[in-house]
Amino acid sequence: MKKQFVVIGLGRFGGSVTKTLMSLGYEVMGIDKDERIVQEYASVLTHVYQGDSTDDQVMRELGVRNMDHAIVAIGEDLQSSILTTLILKDMGVKFVTAKATSDYHQRVLEGVGADHIVHPERDTGVRVAHQVTSKNMIDYLELSPDYSLVEIIAPNTFGRKTLKTLDFRAKYGCSVMAIRRTNNELVVSPHADEIIFEGDMLVIIGKNTDIARFERTFED
């Protein structure tokens, strides 16, 4: 069963996360206190609600506690961001990613239990969506509307197999551009007989649709 996400705050950053998660095939619930924004997303999301995320009763009635992963994308209202994160952790949401606008904000969010912090000035919504859907994803860079480059920890099933054996391009439609070993050795343009070891970081390039398919194959 695929992970279920709730995105709280559907502004520019939260909206980008939401749309990317949906494009990857995940079920997403959206929550925002602005009725205009909620109406805008009514045609995009099956489950989108206007509500105050700092009201734990509202959050319980919406069934947020049943979500696998919550993303707190609230903007400049630090109090709401912090209180929402605290409520989510108190409710037992397994994993909470929260948007921070400063180092101080980050420290407070970590203090109330946020599992992962993102900074919108460097972490785009698209990048964050890919990171939260893959346990092996390290980084994600859009090269164009259709192609991206990703850094990913090699799945355990790749261990001690060659690129030729993995038949990477035929199976996943992507190309391995480089391999960084655990000792920081960098193998650029690896040949077909290059062996993948557990813990290796792979730099992969491909169409966004193929990368998404690759991510789903090794979804946590």
Side-chain angles (χ1 to χ4, degrees):
M1 195 174 195
K2 285 189 176 180
K3 289 180 182 176
Q4 293 180 310
F5 293 86
V6 57
V7 179
I8 302 167
L10 298 173
R12 180 183 299 177
F13 177 75
S16 177
V17 172
T18 298
K19 290 173 182 176
T20 304
L21 287 172
M22 291 191 63
S23 73
L24 293 172
Y26 291 94
E27 183 177 337
V28 185
M29 175 194 292
I31 300 173
D32 199 286
K33 64 180 180 181
D34 189 323
E35 182 179 1
R36 178 184 57 81
I37 292 177
V38 170
Q39 289 177 348
E40 178 184 333
Y41 276 85
S43 61
V44 178
L45 292 172
T46 304
H47 306 289
V48 58
Y49 304 99
Q50 179 187 7
D52 181 0
S53 60
T54 66
D55 185 331
D56 61 343
Q57 185 60 36
V58 169
M59 298 286 268
R60 291 181 189 281
E61 288 175 358
L62 292 177
V64 172
R65 75 175 91 183
N66 299 319
M67 296 293 124
D68 298 301
H69 196 135
I71 298 162
V72 182
I74 296 172
E76 298 300 320
D77 189 343
L78 302 191
Q79 182 174 334
S80 293
S81 164
I82 294 163
L83 186 52
T84 298
T85 301
L86 178 61
I87 288 171
L88 290 167
K89 294 310 295 184
D90 280 351
M91 287 173 57
V93 175
K94 298 173 186 175
F95 204 94
V96 175
T97 292
K99 167 185 169 181
T101 55
S102 67
D103 290 340
Y104 171 75
H105 189 190
Q106 173 172 342
R107 291 199 299 271
V108 177
L109 288 170
E110 289 172 340
V112 297
D115 300 285
H116 180 55
I117 308 295
V118 296
H119 291 264
E121 67 272 16
R122 70 163 188 259
D123 298 314
T124 68
V126 172
R127 180 183 180 188
V128 169
H130 281 272
Q131 288 175 333
V132 301
T133 56
S134 174
K135 65 178 180 179
N136 293 332
M137 181 72 68
I138 297 174
D139 206 353
Y140 182 98
L141 176 65
E142 275 192 295
L143 300 177
S144 76
D146 297 316
Y147 286 85
S148 295
L149 182 145
V150 300
E151 295 179 354
I152 191 165
I153 299 296
N156 294 335
T157 53
F158 283 16
R160 296 193 174 276
K161 294 179 181 177
T162 65
L163 290 175
K164 182 177 180 180
T165 300
L166 291 168
D167 203 8
F168 207 91
R169 186 160 184 78
K171 285 183 180 178
Y172 309 113
C174 306
S175 298
V176 178
M177 305 298 292
I179 303 169
R180 184 180 295 280
R181 307 294 188 190
T182 53
N183 64 358
N184 284 328
E185 175 192 358
L186 183 64
V187 181
V188 179
S189 298
H191 54 76
D193 293 327
E194 198 72 52
I195 298 173
I196 305 297
F197 295 98
E198 186 175 349
D200 281 353
M201 186 192 76
L202 309 180
V203 180
I204 299 169
I205 190 171
K207 284 187 175 181
N208 294 335
T209 50
D210 291 326
I211 289 174
R213 180 164 54 88
F214 174 78
E215 290 173 16
R216 287 195 295 269
T217 302
F218 300 100
E219 180 183 323
D220 184 6

